[in-house]
Amino acid sequence: MDTLQLAAAARCLDRQLAQQAIQGISDAPGGIYLHTAKAHLALIVQRAPLGLWQDPAFHKSDALTTWSSPLNQRFAGFRIQRISVPWADRIVRIDCSRIHISKRVDQISLIAECFGGRGNIALLDEAQHIRWAWRWDSLDGKAAPRFLPGIAYAPPKDSQPFAQPLPTAAWLRRVAPRYRPQHTADQDAMQEAWSLRSDPCASWWRQAVDADNPVTYPLPIFDLGPMQEIPAPEALHFVQPTAHPQPSAQERARTQQWERLHRRIQKMRQDMTRWEDPEVYRTQAFALFALPDAMPSATQLSAPDHTCVTGATLTITVTPGKSLHRQAQWYMQQAQRSQRAQREIATRLQEMERLLQDLTEATGGEQTGPATGSSTAAGPAPVRSANNGKPDVSDFNRTAIEGFTLLWGKNAKENDRLTFRSAKPWDLWFHIQDLGGSHVVLRRENSQTPVPESVRVAAARIALQQSQSRAISGEVDWTEIRHVHRKPNGGPGQVTYRHFQSIRVRRDG
């Protein structure tokens, strides 16, 4: 609701609920419910549908939260005296009173600032001092206390009284921009139509053209075409916001996983383009070796290309003051680096694309992130929450057996990172007994996930094959990661562990 919708709702509900006793207060999504004998009033300050509503289908719950329970106690015995919008802003005021046997009258007021992302609810005493207050700071946050005992309430600095003489109505500037008339004549007509509303609960209006997205407004909107009347109860009907299902932890992990793989594939492709063809480096090296060894004074020189039958000339970048033959050796080294980099990057890129394809197939063919390049098949996807600073599990060797992911390090540093930075406390850890070797980690979703014996045997066999043992069989210890600790004063990958079991396995083949 914008200011005009909220003011129309307040005037209508004020007429209907005057002198009604408040029978209780309970939680609403982003606000509160006030319960009377006639109606359940939803006062929503923090999320859609924002404003003041009636909920005829409400079923009161006996459960009260830690913040609505004290408010429920404070309103015991009070009756609604007035519901109003005193300022030309989305601020609702509900004045209530209670008469004691001694004829003493207690008065309190409820102030609700319907600001959307940062809504507030405050309880004022007779002197307009705040005695109780709660706020919502974000759309996904919960209500939090804000106690300012004795502080006098004041609306925001730019708020102005709602009732002002025509034609300078302050509320017109608070009307939602999409409803505010663009022309002065239409603005005057809107103010005049508002001043002529004699029945507070007269029919509201709804746009008849766009049935999929109806606009409910207390006055005709001049720029939106023909509109038809609807009764106020229908206009003030509270519609529960659509609950969008939150993704599960596994779905979030898959999405994060997909994004990591996508980023790594992009980086690998950039690395591929960074390296020139190894033959280009070799050609430049051969051309420099063919020249007399000298100290160049320029940054570029021309040399014949002896690999080309046409006798083309090459322009080679060189370093002044460094002998040509030493620079030729550097170009040969670059050729070797380029050849090795392209070979290794191509292998890892193919593996990453297989993992990406497998992850896409696991989600029913739907991509969980932005579009990427081609993918092939096979290979599991790592399941790990995205914690900043932790290593990417795609850095480690990996395989999949019966739906379980197995990871192991290539050296001591990778073993240390895998065990103490990447693995979860409930993952299973395997290592050859009394010898050096790779740490093998078997991923589990949680501590209650059962692991078949065949999978444990396969993990132990990998630990044997990736160890210093050359025997045909060997003993492999296994336990949960939470029982593995770094060895005091030990180097990377050196550990101590307890509560372990052993399993004897044979090598493959």
Side-chain angles (χ1 to χ4, degrees), residues 4-214:
L4 199 57
Q5 292 169 307
L6 195 60
R11 291 186 179 186
C12 179
L13 293 172
D14 175 56
R15 179 177 179 179
Q16 293 181 356
L17 302 180
Q19 299 303 318
Q20 287 290 307
I22 298 177
Q23 297 180 345
I25 291 177
S26 57
D27 293 350
I32 60 172
Y33 279 108
L34 285 85
H35 307 288
T36 70
K38 278 190 175 182
H40 303 286
L41 193 63
L43 186 54
I44 312 301
V45 302
Q46 189 256 352
R47 64 181 66 199
L50 199 70
L52 200 57
W53 309 90
Q54 279 186 300
D55 189 357
F58 178 82
H59 297 285
K60 186 177 179 181
S61 173
D62 294 333
L64 292 172
T65 62
T66 55
W67 73 272
S68 63
S69 180
L71 188 61
N72 185 68
Q73 296 172 0
R74 289 172 183 262
F75 269 92
F78 278 88
R79 293 180 177 270
I80 297 176
Q81 297 298 315
R82 188 184 180 195
I83 302 175
S84 62
V85 175
W87 297 280
D89 210 331
R90 290 178 297 181
I91 303 177
V92 178
R93 181 186 180 105
I94 302 178
D95 296 316
C96 303
S97 65
R98 177 177 60 187
I99 302 178
H100 288 266
I101 298 178
S102 62
K103 304 300 182 180
R104 189 184 81 243
V105 178
D106 294 335
Q107 293 182 346
I108 58 175
S109 299
L110 190 68
I111 295 290
E113 298 178 341
C114 308
F115 295 158
R118 299 191 64 180
N120 301 282
I121 291 180
L123 186 65
L124 312 183
D125 60 15
E126 295 180 1
Q128 304 304 298
H129 292 166
I130 296 176
R131 293 303 176 190
W132 177 96
W134 282 74
R135 68 167 181 258
W136 288 257
D137 287 331
S138 63
L139 289 176
D140 56 351
K142 296 182 179 180
R146 186 183 66 180
F147 294 104
L148 302 172
I151 302 298
Y153 173 78
K157 293 182 180 179
D158 58 347
S159 296
Q160 299 179 12
F162 186 90
Q164 282 195 348
L166 297 176
T168 59
W171 55 260
L172 186 61
R173 294 193 296 272
R174 298 294 190 183
V175 170
R178 61 185 179 277
Y179 303 152
R180 187 184 308 137
Q182 299 299 316
H183 304 289
T184 304
D186 292 340
Q187 294 177 5
D188 294 340
M190 174 178 277
Q191 296 181 37
E192 185 69 21
W194 177 258
S195 65
L196 295 177
R197 282 173 54 94
S198 58
D199 183 1
C201 290
S203 295
W204 281 27
W205 301 74
R206 173 173 294 185
Q207 182 181 4
V209 179
D210 188 3
D212 294 334
N213 186 23

Side-chain angles (χ1 to χ4, degrees), residues 262-276 341-342 345 349:
H262 178 66
R263 288 194 299 268
R264 287 190 65 81
I265 287 174
Q266 286 185 325
K267 186 176 183 302
M268 288 179 184
R269 287 175 178 163
Q270 293 173 357
D271 291 341
M272 289 281 285
T273 60
R274 189 178 302 130
W275 288 97
E276 291 190 36
Q342 290 190 357
I345 292 175
L349 181 61

Side-chain angles (χ1 to χ4, degrees), residues 284 287-288 299-305 312-318 331:
Q284 294 174 330
L288 291 177
T299 57
Q300 289 183 338
L301 57 83
S302 298
D305 183 2
T313 302
L314 298 174
T315 300
I316 306 174
T317 301
V318 295
Y331 274 108

Side-chain angles (χ1 to χ4, degrees), residues 293-301 318-325 327:
D293 195 12
M295 297 288 185
S297 57
T299 57
Q300 289 183 338
L301 57 83
V318 295
T319 303
K322 187 176 181 180
S323 69
L324 294 180
H325 287 184
Q327 297 190 54

